[in-house]
Amino acid sequence: MPRIAPGQSDTLHLEIAFIFREIFDVNAQQEAIAAYSCFHTVYGTSLLTRKGVNMTKVLNRRLDVEAIEFFLRTRYPGNLLTCKLWACAYLYEAQEGVAPRGRIQVRLGRLTSPLLCLVILTWFGVRSAVKWLKGGLQVYWHHLL
Amino acid sequence: MTLDADVIIVGSGPAGAAAALELSKITEVLMLDIGHSAPEESPGVDRFVELLGERLEGMSIISEPYLSPKLRSPFFRYVTRSWRELSPIHSSDFKGELSLALGGLANAWGSGLYEFDDTDLRGFPISYSELQPFYLSLTKHIGISGGGDEVASVLGSRECLLPPMPLAGTLKALYAHSQRPKVKAFLHRNRIHIGRQRLGILTEPHRGRPAYSFDGKDFFRPWKAAIYNPAYTVRELEALGKLRFRRGVLVKQFKEFPDRVRVDAVDLSSGQPVEFSAKRLLLGAGAINSARIVLQSFKDYSTRLPMLENPISFVPFIHFASLGSDSKENSFTGAQLALIFDGPEHRDRVQGSFYNLSGVLSSDFLFDFPFSASGNLFCLAKILGAMGVLQIYYSDAPNPASFLSLSTEGALELHCPARRFGKVEGKLINALRKMGFWSAPFLVRYAEGGSSFHYAGTLPMREANDSIGFSTDRFGRLNRCKHVYVVDASSFPLLPAKNLSLTIMANAMRIASKLVL
Ligand SMILES: Cc1cc2nc3c(=O)[nH]c(=O)nc-3n(C[C@H](O)[C@H](O)[C@H](O)COP(=O)(O)OP(=O)(O)OC[C@H]3O[C@@H](n4cnc5c(N)ncnc54)[C@H](O)[C@@H]3O)c2cc1C
């Protein structure tokens, strides 16, 4: 896989570790970390044109990455954070060999009832609205753009 | 002058392979091709490399234009390798792909293999009865599986079919609903027919190839023996000593002499020009590249050749009663059901194929749901399995907006605008709802120009061979030529809304069978 500058690689390492923990509730393994760096090299030129976000602040202040991403996605589709999160989902899928799962879903376990699924979807709708507000506040409060 | 062979075929895709199969009965054939092929099978391959690729090409849709999952899949990258450099196209609206691989675009196909009936062949100077014997021998050669329901008669003869692929998941439920008497009556009133697919996939062992077994790798491992690929035919004929396959050759043009035809090409390994001579030349380089070779041969930089392709749209739908079911259920990842619509909302028959969403990477769909990341991840696990997509194909006829021409630098200028319909989608959405599957017009997506991968019509066949323009006679012979024949879909004067490759193959065999050496 292509090489990446040493300093940048440390930041990317922290980024993927943070996103994996916060979103999927698992640890990113070495291969996923290397692939995450590779992703930034291969698609770097296109990523540079995306609406950026100050990832250092997000990591240092342990902000709600899910909320910020959702807010940005609605305002700036295809923004850098959405791309990073999407890349992490692919890397999770390759690392674990199963479809990516969120931390909440791990707790929902083997839910198979269609009715319960609909109830949970409604709950996710409400939760997403709250996340959107929280994400918006964090973006402006911490000057992330 | 010594000849390299009686017959030279350019291209090893469905057209070239089928022509060779027929010609192998009477003579040995020389096949010229660039011939990229699948990477060697490496059993212990790393999952990252297999799913995402050395250069993460499997996740290219994050930052590059959409590409169908199979063509993006790392081990399938050979299928579309280097065509942009070796056979360039200048276009602002062509978003399709070409293939310079052994087996052609069929390396990535969905294997839907249908016959054209006389309704589909309206406007062709040939009839079903002329293709029928070749459809039958291909059905036996390839091993085609399919059902015996009402759609079967539209998809072709049932003779020698293998049993249909088993249904699974949402589509199993959809089929069951569509067969209920009340629903069936409703569908018939609305001129909608739903039935089992006809596929070049073995449901029983056939001619030394095994039956299909599900391993979730259809999109990641090329050359799965149960899924037919024209490369198998090429390899088989080569092993029997009936075909010489010359790889690494890019054909540029031909020149006719009274007793022979010369092919001018470039040997890609040395970059040197090479020549081949034969009594007859059969062009099977695909509708776009065959047209390029013809225009190049006549140094014609002004003629606009027509370009046909099936406009397509996608209708996603959901079956609420299946919410919570596993999206990775053991099911074939290609089209499981076929739909035919022949109502008044569209001038011609419309064809549809139903897909479930298993087999590809779930992450492809991560941002197709309207929630924050956790909600979307929940959808991937619990909603995706209840979803499906109906892909709708429309017919095409020559129109002034779609054409190609050759530029003096050798690139093709191609115009292939996207087209949108809509009335049929609305009607089919209603029918889906009637069956308990929900969809809505705002979910419908229309594909960009070229993305059906069904290309045709550049050198249309006519009843009589005219001396102007570029066309072929009913036996595939190119006008103004004595020894050059076109065996791919270039010669289709119209493109019905049906998977075209089985007809490309049957027509190539028909042309080859009439060849006088
Ligand atoms: C994702 C996908 C799914 C599909 N699904 C279906 C389906 O379900 N059913 C169906 O009927 N069709 C399907 N198709 C379309 C089908 O693959 C094509 O219609 C078919 O492959 C066309 O066959 P062909 O032989 O005319 O051309 P191609 O398959 O394009 O083959 C052309 C051959 O010519 C060679 N060639 C080209 N130019 C040159 C040159 N200058 N010199 C030497 N060699 C040359 C190439 O290397 C190649 O071997 C699908 C295609 C794709 C990509």
Side-chain angles (χ1 to χ4, degrees):
Chain A
M1 287 186 184
R3 294 193 157 276
I4 191 148
Q8 194 192 357
S9 134
D10 291 346
T11 326
L12 294 176
H13 181 159
L14 295 176
E15 249 175 56
I16 183 174
F18 184 67
I19 296 175
F20 263 52
R21 259 290 111 239
E22 291 298 305
I23 304 288
F24 309 121
D25 204 19
V26 296
N27 290 325
Q29 289 167 8
Q30 269 316 310
E31 248 183 322
I33 296 169
Y36 190 66
S37 297
C38 171
F39 168 73
H40 285 79
T41 314
V42 173
Y43 298 105
T45 328
S46 149
L47 294 180
L48 280 177
T49 63
R50 308 302 173 114
K51 184 77 181 170
V53 57
N54 188 333
M55 282 304 287
T56 320
K57 277 189 192 168
V58 176
L59 297 189
N60 289 346
R61 299 177 190 182
R62 306 201 69 77
L63 300 180
D64 187 339
V65 70
E66 179 182 352
I68 296 167
E69 186 282 323
F70 187 48
F71 175 77
L72 291 179
R73 194 186 338 145
T74 57
R75 302 298 303 273
Y76 309 101
N79 69 83
L80 184 62
L81 184 56
T82 300
C83 292
K84 284 175 185 274
L85 219 113
W86 203 357
C88 286
Y90 278 110
L91 299 177
Y92 175 102
E93 200 162 351
Q95 174 178 303
E96 305 291 320
V98 292
R101 288 162 207 213
R103 52 165 64 233
I104 299 172
Q105 202 185 309
V106 175
R107 277 181 236 141
L108 292 174
R110 285 197 208 94
L111 170 83
T112 51
S113 149
L115 198 66
L116 257 179
C117 278
L118 279 176
V119 172
I120 292 168
L121 272 183
T122 316
W123 177 77
F124 269 120
V126 176
R127 183 177 176 278
S128 296
V130 175
K131 285 278 177 197
W132 187 86
L133 283 174
K134 186 178 176 193
L137 283 174
Q138 293 200 339
V139 165
Y140 290 111
W141 191 261
H142 296 275
H143 303 287
L144 296 180
L145 294 179
Chain B
M1 175 85 211
T2 50
L3 298 177
D4 294 285
D6 281 341
V7 182
I8 290 177
I9 298 179
V10 181
S12 62
L21 181 64
E22 183 64 22
L23 282 171
S24 66
K25 293 178 189 161
I26 51 164
T27 186
E28 192 209 24
V29 170
L30 172 62
M31 183 175 272
L32 305 178
D33 202 323
I34 290 89
H36 296 316
S37 65
E40 289 298 316
E41 185 73 18
S42 41
V45 70
D46 176 312
R47 198 161 54 217
F48 275 86
V49 174
E50 181 178 22
L51 299 183
L52 301 178
E54 290 275 1
R55 291 188 60 83
L56 302 176
E57 48 270 44
M59 49 206 262
S60 67
I61 53 166
I62 295 181
S63 74
E64 288 171 7
Y66 180 82
L67 184 60
S68 107
K70 221 181 222 176
L71 295 175
R72 207 184 327 137
S73 167
F75 290 174
F76 277 90
R77 292 306 283 240
Y78 71 96
V79 180
T80 51
R81 184 178 305 147
S82 73
W83 75 261
R84 286 182 173 78
E85 300 85 61
L86 297 178
S87 49
I89 286 179
H90 293 162
S91 177
S92 55
D93 50 20
F94 177 76
K95 304 289 186 245
E97 295 284 335
L98 301 184
S99 174
L100 302 179
L102 165 60
L105 280 173
N107 282 281
W109 68 4
S111 325
L113 294 181
Y114 303 171
E115 298 179 0
F116 285 8
D117 59 20
D118 278 325
T119 311
D120 302 313
L121 290 168
R122 264 192 314 226
F124 283 63
I126 54 170
S127 64
Y128 177 75
S129 60
E130 291 169 81
L131 292 174
Q132 194 276 332
F134 304 105
Y135 281 136
L136 184 60
S137 61
L138 283 166
T139 305
K140 291 180 189 158
H141 175 77
I142 294 172
I144 299 180
S145 52
D149 49 38
E150 56 177 290
V151 169
S153 54
V154 185
L155 304 187
S157 156
R158 296 171 204 181
E159 212 177 326
C160 298
L161 284 185
L162 302 177
M165 289 287 284
L167 294 171
T170 327
L171 300 183
K172 191 172 179 176
L174 194 144
Y175 187 64
H177 280 77
S178 74
Q179 298 304 304
R180 288 185 186 158
K182 259 190 167 167
V183 176
K184 210 169 184 168
F186 169 85
L187 293 175
H188 282 181
R189 271 200 309 281
N190 288 281
R191 321 235 7 169
I192 298 168
H193 310 272
I194 295 176
R196 309 296 288 268
Q197 264 289 349
R198 190 163 294 205
L199 297 163
I201 300 183
L202 302 182
T203 46
E204 288 172 356
H206 182 75
R207 299 184 61 245
R209 289 165 45 220
Y212 176 86
S213 70
F214 179 80
D215 59 4
K217 294 283 165 65
D218 294 357
F219 279 72
F220 299 97
R221 288 279 165 106
W223 289 31
K224 193 167 177 177
I227 304 178
Y228 177 73
N229 182 328
Y232 303 158
T233 301
V234 173
R235 289 268 158 95
E236 197 178 317
L237 295 175
E238 218 182 354
L240 292 170
K242 304 208 160 155
L243 178 144
R244 274 182 295 138
F245 184 68
R246 178 77 195 266
R247 179 192 296 270
V249 175
L250 176 73
V251 172
K252 291 287 194 185
Q253 58 189 34
F254 58 79
K255 185 162 174 48
E256 278 216 320
F257 297 91
D259 57 340
R260 67 190 170 96
V261 54
R262 189 188 76 209
V263 176
D264 299 337
V266 175
D267 181 329
L268 293 175
S269 56
S270 65
Q272 296 300 314
V274 270
E275 288 178 7
F276 304 90
S277 286
K279 289 185 192 158
R280 300 283 179 271
L281 169 64
L282 268 53
L283 294 176
I288 294 176
N289 274 333
S290 288
R292 182 199 308 268
I293 294 170
V294 169
L295 289 174
Q296 190 77 57
S297 304
F298 286 89
K299 308 255 172 304
D300 186 322
Y301 305 108
S302 57
T303 301
R304 289 178 166 190
L305 299 178
M307 160 83 192
L308 306 180
E309 76 135 348
N310 292 127
I312 47 180
S313 61
F314 301 94
V315 182
F317 58 86
I318 184 162
H319 186 222
F320 286 115
S322 300
L323 287 179
S325 62
D326 185 0
S327 67
K328 299 282 176 196
E329 193 185 337
N330 284 356
S331 68
F332 168 56
T333 32
Q336 294 186 28
L337 294 175
L339 174 145
I340 302 289
F341 172 77
D342 55 6
E345 283 76 5
H346 197 72
R347 57 173 196 273
D348 294 320
R349 225 184 233 167
V350 171
Q351 177 215 320
S353 295
F354 288 94
Y355 295 85
N356 63 22
L357 303 177
S358 67
V360 295
L361 294 175
S362 304
S363 300
D364 285 356
F365 305 100
L366 179 62
F367 290 114
D368 287 338
F369 298 96
F371 306 103
S372 69
S374 299
N376 282 3
L377 288 168
F378 174 81
C379 292
L380 291 189
K382 301 292 176 188
I383 311 294
L384 215 55
M387 290 182 65
V389 175
L390 169 60
Q391 184 173 13
I392 302 172
Y393 290 85
Y394 292 91
S395 61
D396 199 11
N399 70 83
S402 302
F403 62 90
L404 57 79
S405 59
L406 185 68
S407 74
T408 42
E409 306 92 66
L412 285 178
E413 306 281 348
L414 206 158
H415 295 265
C416 186
R419 279 157 290 171
R420 290 161 167 257
F421 297 95
K423 278 190 189 156
V424 177
E425 284 80 358
K427 188 115 193 179
L428 296 177
I429 286 172
N430 271 343
L432 282 167
R433 288 187 187 159
K434 183 86 185 167
M435 290 187 282
F437 293 74
W438 185 85
S439 184
F442 71 85
L443 293 172
V444 176
R445 296 284 173 274
Y446 294 89
E448 302 198 77
S451 44
S452 72
F453 308 116
H454 293 181
Y455 311 133
T458 47
L459 306 162
M461 89 175 106
R462 311 235 186 266
E463 188 60 64
N465 200 344
D466 32 314
S467 53
I468 43 156
F470 290 101
S471 58
T472 68
D473 67 11
R474 64 193 312 281
F475 301 109
R477 193 169 59 145
L478 191 66
N479 63 349
R480 301 193 240 167
C481 291
K482 263 174 71 186
H483 310 304
V484 181
Y485 292 76
V486 177
V487 291
D488 55 36
S490 309
S491 69
F492 290 12
L494 298 166
L495 190 57
K498 258 191 186 173
N499 286 318
L500 75 173
S501 301
L502 189 67
T503 303
I504 294 180
M505 298 180 83
N507 188 47
M509 290 177 82
R510 182 187 68 86
I511 293 169
S513 74
K514 300 274 189 265
L515 214 61
V516 182
L517 295 176

